[in-house]
Amino acid sequence: MERPRCDVVVVGGGVIGLASAWRAAREGLAVVLVDPEPGRGASWAAAGMLAPVTEVHYGEEALLALNLASARSWPGFAAEVEEESGLPVSYRRTGTLLVAADEGDRAWAAELHRFQAGLGLEVEWLTGREARALEPALAPGVRAGLWAPGDHQVHNRELVGALLAAGRAREVVHLPLRVSSVETSGGAVSGVGLGDGTTIDCGAVVLAAGCRSGELAGVPAGVLPPVRPVKGQILRLRGPADRPLLSRTVRGVVQGQSVYLVPRADGSLVIGATVEEAGFDLTVTAGAVYGLLRDAQRVVPGVSELVLEESLAGLRPGSPDNGPLVGPSGLPGLVLATGHYRNGILLTPLTAEAVAATLAGREVPGELAGFGPDRFPVLAC
Ligand code: FAD
Ligand code: GLY
């Protein structure tokens, strides 16, 4: 019997694989997307913040430039996904307010503000009173705020549904299976083996398996991406749609701990998240739920009135320098799109563009040039 064949197999259907498959199909390629549970990994757990400014970290200026470029792509990307899928993604330009709970947190926020201002980022220092004028639900004790008008949000769960539908509209075939191996012939990718024992022949494979991207059989050890799971526990609460507690994302710094509160248009509120090196552990702990609610309530006391609907853990695909690995790999025909750590939703548009460009033989967008898969040396053991 003849083996099934396509141009590209995408391994993994989180936001990165789904968007890459859709964009590759728009290039005229025949695409098969393989994932037993598309959209249910980190992309489901995430908060959907598109926050290059309030999530900036010291020493990550190159990543900041990438994040800012992807944030600029979001309005056009959201419109195209909605148009091709016929489904909403709720891209909301509501900005983000970072608030400091006590004097120590105020000093930390002031330092962050100096760093952000030095980088030329659009961010404004507010007194506690000014912050409360923006968000009346803030606690009276909030000491100061940083207003970042360009840090927005998208409804990440709507996004995965819309990307699946947009892919379908472009004839992306979805197989609800695991990819068990990558097959090679003559030193290049020639196909994939699937969990049901069948195979597909193809000219290219896009490895977008999130935190599992580092463990696919058949990929040479030096080519497998150095990706690890970084656990995040996160909560979803329900409130009245007609009287939302917050109208924009609030990030709190509470005795040095970070917490974020992301309000959706339907009155619900996402509260996150822990950052834990815990391997492939998806359990939810009482301590994490307690800590998130305690810190959220410290900056927005009204949180205690909401209904706790969901507690969940997700695994971020972490990389050694917190940046993604996107582009052609050392195995001809294997394209990597992984390691997006805390910014995978934000980086979806630019990553998908880069994957499609690579498959079509074009250069990746300039902002991704420093994030090629070959930047990590293979350590001899
Ligand atoms: P995933 O969404 O994890 O998808 C990987 C997919 O690969 C899964 O569906 C899985 O089933 C599949 N897979 C694995 N192995 C195989 C195989 N062998 N064969 C076939 N399929 C396979 N980012 C932001 O930008 N903003 C945020 O606000 C934000 N908040 C976050 C909050 C939390 C709590 C967490 C955990 C993450 C958050 N992130 C956020 C990060 C973001 O969620 C991730 O960077 C992003 O979802 C990664 O997408 P992905 O497609 O690479 O991985
Ligand atoms: N970017 C938010 C998180 O990873 O929790």
Side-chain angles (χ1 to χ4, degrees):
M1 204 176 74
E2 207 166 289
R3 289 161 48 124
R5 190 176 166 83
C6 65
D7 295 321
V8 184
V9 170
V10 178
V11 185
V15 281
I16 299 298
L18 288 169
S20 298
W22 169 52
R23 287 301 211 213
R26 282 169 40 132
E27 296 283 339
L29 298 166
V31 181
V32 174
L33 175 96
V34 190
D35 190 326
E37 282 192 299
R40 289 287 167 157
S43 304
W44 189 254
M49 293 177 294
L50 310 173
V53 173
T54 46
E55 280 215 10
V56 67
H57 287 95
Y58 299 101
E60 293 185 357
E61 285 79 359
L63 183 57
L64 170 68
L66 177 64
N67 288 342
L68 287 168
S70 205
R72 284 192 295 273
S73 301
W74 256 100
F77 181 78
E80 283 180 28
V81 180
E82 289 188 336
E83 191 187 327
E84 294 218 0
S85 66
L87 295 170
V89 301
S90 301
Y91 170 66
R92 298 177 74 203
R93 298 176 211 228
T94 47
T96 295
L97 178 61
L98 183 146
V99 297
D102 65 20
E103 274 310 303
D105 300 323
R106 185 183 186 285
W108 184 91
E111 194 51 52
L112 176 66
H113 183 231
R114 267 190 291 279
F115 178 55
Q116 291 167 325
L119 292 166
L121 298 173
E122 192 185 0
V123 58
E124 184 186 347
W125 181 262
L126 303 179
T127 63
R129 186 188 296 260
E130 287 167 337
R132 278 188 295 280
L134 276 184
E135 283 297 344
L138 287 176
V142 158
R143 291 286 197 280
L146 287 177
W147 168 231
D151 275 5
H152 300 316
Q153 64 148 302
V154 66
H155 195 306
N156 46 295
R157 293 182 175 181
E158 289 183 0
L159 178 65
V160 293
L163 284 172
L164 259 172
R168 259 196 312 271
R170 290 279 175 172
E171 296 180 10
V172 172
V173 175
H174 169 229
L175 297 182
L177 293 168
R178 244 187 99 251
V179 172
S180 51
S181 63
V182 168
E183 299 192 338
T184 55
S185 167
V189 162
S190 61
V192 294
L194 302 176
D196 64 357
T198 61
T199 52
I200 307 176
D201 289 342
C202 61
V205 168
V206 176
L207 180 49
C211 67
R212 298 269 176 195
S213 299
E215 54 183 36
L216 195 55
V219 179
V223 176
L224 278 174
V227 171
R228 68 183 196 287
V230 183
K231 181 178 177 180
Q233 301 190 52
I234 190 162
L235 311 174
R236 282 173 162 78
L237 290 78
R238 181 164 43 83
D242 55 340
R243 283 177 294 110
L245 193 55
L246 298 172
S247 52
R248 53 181 62 71
T249 296
V250 169
R251 301 182 74 107
V253 190
V254 182
Q255 298 189 324
Q257 291 291 322
S258 288
V259 65
Y260 52 74
L261 301 88
V262 185
R264 302 286 195 228
D266 65 359
S268 62
L269 189 67
V270 182
I271 298 180
T274 64
V275 181
E276 305 166 63
E277 298 288 347
F280 291 99
D281 170 29
L282 281 170
T283 53
V284 174
T285 63
V289 175
Y290 168 71
L292 289 170
L293 288 176
R294 178 199 59 210
D295 292 348
Q297 204 185 338
R298 174 84 185 267
V299 288
V300 181
V303 159
S304 58
E305 305 298 324
L306 306 186
V307 178
L308 178 59
E309 281 204 316
E310 182 187 283
S311 58
L312 185 70
L315 300 175
R316 305 173 181 90
S319 79
D321 63 3
N322 299 336
L325 296 92
V326 180
S329 73
L331 176 63
L334 181 70
V335 180
L336 298 194
T338 188
H340 293 78
Y341 188 42
R342 300 190 67 162
N343 294 307
I345 310 294
L346 170 60
L347 289 174
T348 297
L350 221 55
T351 302
E353 194 185 322
V355 169
T358 304
L359 293 168
R362 299 191 301 273
E363 292 286 306
V364 299
E367 295 85 356
L368 269 160
F371 294 94
D374 55 0
R375 72 184 185 279
F376 300 111
V378 181
L379 300 175
C381 298

